[in-house]
Amino acid sequence: MMNLSRSVALISLFLLPFLSSSFSVDNPTDRRVLVLLDDLSLKSSHSTFFNTLKSRGFDLDFKSADDSKLALQRYGQYLYDGLIIFAPSTERFGGSLDSKSVADFVDSGRDLILSADTSASDLIRGIATECGVDFDEDSSAMVIDHSSFSVSDGDHTLIAADDLVKSDVILGKSKIEAPVLFRGVAHSLNPTNNLVLKVLSASPSAYSANPTSKLSSPPQLTGSAISLVSVMQARNNARVVISGSLQLFSDRLFRSGAQKSGSPDKYEKSGNEQFVTELSKWVFHERGHLKAGSLVHHRVGETDEPAIYRIKDDLEFSVEILEWSGKSWEPYVADDVQVQFYMMSPYVLKTLSTDKKGLFHTSFKVPDVYGVFQFKVEYEKLGYTTLSLSKQIPVRPYRHNEYERFIPTAYPYYGACFTTMAGFFVFSFVYLYHK
Amino acid sequence: MVKSTSKDAQDLFRSLHSAYSATPTNLKIIDLYVVFAVFTALIQVLYMALVGSFPFNSFLSGVLSCIGTAVLAVCLRIQVNKENKEFKDLAPERAFADFVLCNLVLHLVIINFLG
């Protein structure tokens, strides 16, 4: 009995690398996703969302949040590429999962969708704080908006939000027309943190308070500082979506019509399904994931990369950048990729021109300074992976025989010397042979 | 007062001119050569004032070749002048040979320093 289980474990250990056919450098879309639920009825109440994920090829593994066999890693290898935590009221995860293991999961470059709701537990708030997002400290507070609520609602807690971030890469090319319905808690972002971003903000008239009790003091979180859905892209390009409402993902709000109070436009279907689908495409690296080839540089007219440049050389520089389309690597097209020729500060900063096939190139003259320079490409565009490439190259001054032989500004002096010599010659003749 | 000073200047100039016409021809040739050399040096200084002293060695070389040959010509004039008691015993051919050799050395150095 023991031998059998041990041999099965050994065989699965050998097969594990082959079973993990996902999330490599060549194929960055996540495949296996662990879904943690605190209430298994979420499987059916949010079935549309999960079915769209499954139809795009994800393997969803549904587990209860306090399942005692929960594990993200086995024998040092991660079992999943993505994590969805729809368990806002869970105080403690089961198994070997805790907020530190979730933080390590994101640190390893893997993606996370975290949703809180009213009565979010400290565990969920702790994970959100690790990602740079602070939920309202009052656990009974919800987002209330008396001028931007959905007309189908009674107590103004179902917000119809349309303040979306302007980013085609995060939210897709087609504009989300209908407002997105939201009912849940507010969170705010630290303004000095440049890794987090508000995707869905509340309107300026929103505030976060307990809807059932009277307000005794002005609410802390108000207006557009309230974020309803935020994303974070870590420095290792792991992507995290944090939402204050679990109902945002539910079938009921997907299907419901939306009409913002005070606006005459009535939409048959809210923008929730489009919003959630496009956001899940972004967070699981189906869009906006860039890969760069190595930096290539050489002198104009040559093809080999020299080991050292001379000052005032003409050189050509190129780099190849590809974008993952979800299925294959496509050429990346943009007009704002720049290269720096850098030694303590950029001596040359040029915008690269693209040939639309993924190759970005430019040419410039090496500056009149010698030292050890770097070609640096630092690309940080909203919603795209950060590219940080550099290549070192020394630059030498002129050799003693590379200077110009005759200096043009000194031609009068050359002329004067030779004229004087000629004058001396003529003078000697005249002096000797005059009568 | 003004009229008398201008008349004095004219008289001075006329007397200098007539005294100078009395000098021997070979001395006048040497004077012409000196004027030519100094004039060339002045042109170079003017050029340097306009353009800046970038190849300073070339500037020095040009100016010093003119000034040096002017100085040597002045020395020749002193030694060859019959009215000069100090060099009564020096043959003018010897003075001219010294002049030629010194100029040769000067121009050799100048070409080396010109760059």
Side-chain angles (χ1 to χ4, degrees), chain A residues 112-282:
Chain A
L112 169 65
I113 299 183
L114 179 72
S115 179
D117 206 57
T118 51
S119 70
S121 69
D122 283 339
L123 174 66
I124 301 294
R125 283 164 197 273
I127 299 177
T129 312
E130 287 271 345
C131 299
V133 158
D134 297 313
F135 280 101
D136 194 343
E137 281 166 7
D138 186 356
S139 60
S140 56
M142 288 175 71
V143 181
I144 305 175
D145 193 338
H146 294 300
S147 64
S148 191
F149 57 91
S150 170
V151 293
S152 57
D153 188 35
D155 62 352
H156 302 179
T157 54
L158 184 62
I159 316 288
D162 50 10
D163 191 357
L164 295 159
V165 72
K166 287 184 188 38
S167 170
D168 278 353
V169 69
I170 299 181
L171 293 176
K173 283 199 195 45
S174 42
K175 187 166 158 358
I176 300 178
E177 301 283 348
V180 176
L181 298 174
F182 176 97
R183 176 188 272 132
V185 296
H187 59 264
S188 65
L189 308 175
N190 189 343
T192 55
N193 188 342
N194 57 357
L195 300 173
V196 288
L197 177 71
K198 278 195 287 203
V199 170
L200 186 65
S201 318
S203 77
S205 54
Y207 62 95
S208 170
N210 189 341
T212 52
S213 67
K214 219 164 114 155
L215 269 183
S216 53
S217 58
Q220 265 189 325
L221 281 179
T222 57
S224 317
I226 294 180
S227 173
L228 305 175
V229 178
S230 321
V231 299
M232 195 264 289
Q233 178 162 277
R235 288 187 186 93
N236 60 356
N237 294 318
R239 292 172 174 174
V240 176
V241 164
I242 299 186
S243 161
S245 163
L246 195 48
Q247 295 183 27
L248 184 79
F249 300 89
S250 67
D251 293 356
R252 196 168 65 83
L253 287 190
F254 275 15
R255 285 191 292 259
S256 122
Q259 183 182 8
K260 197 168 124 162
S261 69
S263 147
D265 303 318
K266 198 168 156 139
Y267 295 93
E268 288 266 314
K269 198 163 140 59
S270 68
N272 286 38
E273 183 166 5
Q274 185 184 359
F275 174 70
V276 160
T277 310
E278 296 296 330
L279 203 58
S280 69
K281 280 189 192 156
W282 181 81

Side-chain angles (χ1 to χ4, degrees), chain A residues 97-108:
Chain A
L97 224 64
D98 59 359
S99 90
K100 182 177 177 314
S101 64
V102 174
D104 290 342
F105 186 77
V106 175
D107 274 344
S108 74

Side-chain angles (χ1 to χ4, degrees), chain B residues 72-84:
Chain B
L72 290 172
V74 166
C75 292
L76 176 67
R77 192 188 198 275
I78 291 173
Q79 290 174 346
V80 154
N81 199 350
K82 293 191 184 53
E83 289 168 27
N84 205 338

Side-chain angles (χ1 to χ4, degrees), chain A residues 405 409 412 416 421 424 427 431, chain B residues 33 44 47 80 99 103 107 115:
Chain A
R405 180 65 188 88
T409 42
M421 290 202 289
F424 158 69
F427 162 76
Y431 180 77
Chain B
Y33 180 64
Q44 288 179 81
Y47 176 75
V80 154
F99 171 74
N103 259 306
H107 284 110

